[in-house]
Amino acid sequence: MNIRKIITFTEDIHSEGGRPVDPPARTAVVLAVIENPWAGQGFVADLLPGIDEAAPKLGELLAPRVVEALDAPVEAYGKAAIVGLDGEIEHGSALIHTLKFGDHFRRAANATTLLPAVEKRAAAGTVFDIPLKHITDATIRSHHQSIEVRVADGPRADEIVIGLAAAAQGRPQARLAPLSTER
């Protein structure tokens, strides 16, 4: 696995809807810009060797970094794979939609739910939203949120941006009724 760079973003929202958010609502994202392990090979029928090589290492690398950047217990989480234009969306999906990747984050966050995801093929600098859901109950509406990120120079055509996102709380000023109240 060839990593070109790792980027960490944090965001602290102090005000929402004209009202203070106390404590500030914190989110964190860690992105790795990696060489696409299948770049230049044409159609690859068996992605498993590349998955086995890269996915566990990426999960092990990114999970503790995003938890550390959040600097609070994780309440919501998500993942992303943005594939450069010479790759296939399946290349990104192969790396993030495996327990070999996701279980590192689940353990680090003490989570039990599936990680929501975004995956797409895009040019360098494309803005993308990473969806987040509650770590133990995906029906908790207050934690349904997303965080917008971009890598100015990635992914290059033969790269993939792999990311993890975490939030220390639900949406600032969340006030929707629980899903169980609707019939």
Side-chain angles (χ1 to χ4, degrees), residues 20-179:
V21 176
D22 188 25
R26 173 162 268 220
T27 53
V29 179
V30 175
L31 304 168
V33 181
I34 67 166
E35 180 182 297
N36 183 335
W38 301 283
Q41 298 179 36
F43 183 85
V44 177
D46 183 7
L47 300 175
L48 191 56
I51 293 168
D52 287 344
E53 172 63 26
K57 292 176 184 173
L58 284 166
E60 185 177 4
L61 175 71
L62 299 178
R65 284 178 183 241
V66 74
V67 171
E68 181 181 335
L70 189 63
D71 195 29
V74 177
E75 287 190 17
Y77 68 164
K79 61 188 174 183
I82 310 304
V83 180
L85 295 178
D86 287 347
E88 299 174 41
I89 294 171
E90 190 70 3
H91 296 162
S93 296
L95 295 176
I96 67 169
H97 291 302
T98 173
L99 297 177
K100 296 169 186 178
F101 175 76
D103 275 354
H104 291 280
F105 198 10
R106 268 185 218 82
R107 284 190 297 274
N110 295 311
T112 57
T113 59
L114 292 175
L115 277 149
V118 60
E119 61 262 79
K120 67 187 210 178
R121 182 175 36 242
T126 296
V127 174
F128 57 96
D129 293 326
I130 302 176
L132 301 152
K133 303 279 186 202
H134 194 277
I135 62 168
T136 61
D137 184 348
T139 68
I140 296 177
R141 285 182 174 171
S142 60
H143 288 59
H144 294 194
Q145 57 189 313
S146 61
I147 184 162
E148 183 178 275
V149 294
R150 72 184 273 278
V151 178
D153 66 345
R156 294 175 181 162
D158 64 347
E159 292 179 332
I160 304 175
V161 174
I162 301 291
L164 293 178
Q169 69 295 307
R171 293 183 312 277
Q173 315 296 11
R175 52 195 178 273
L176 295 177
L179 186 61

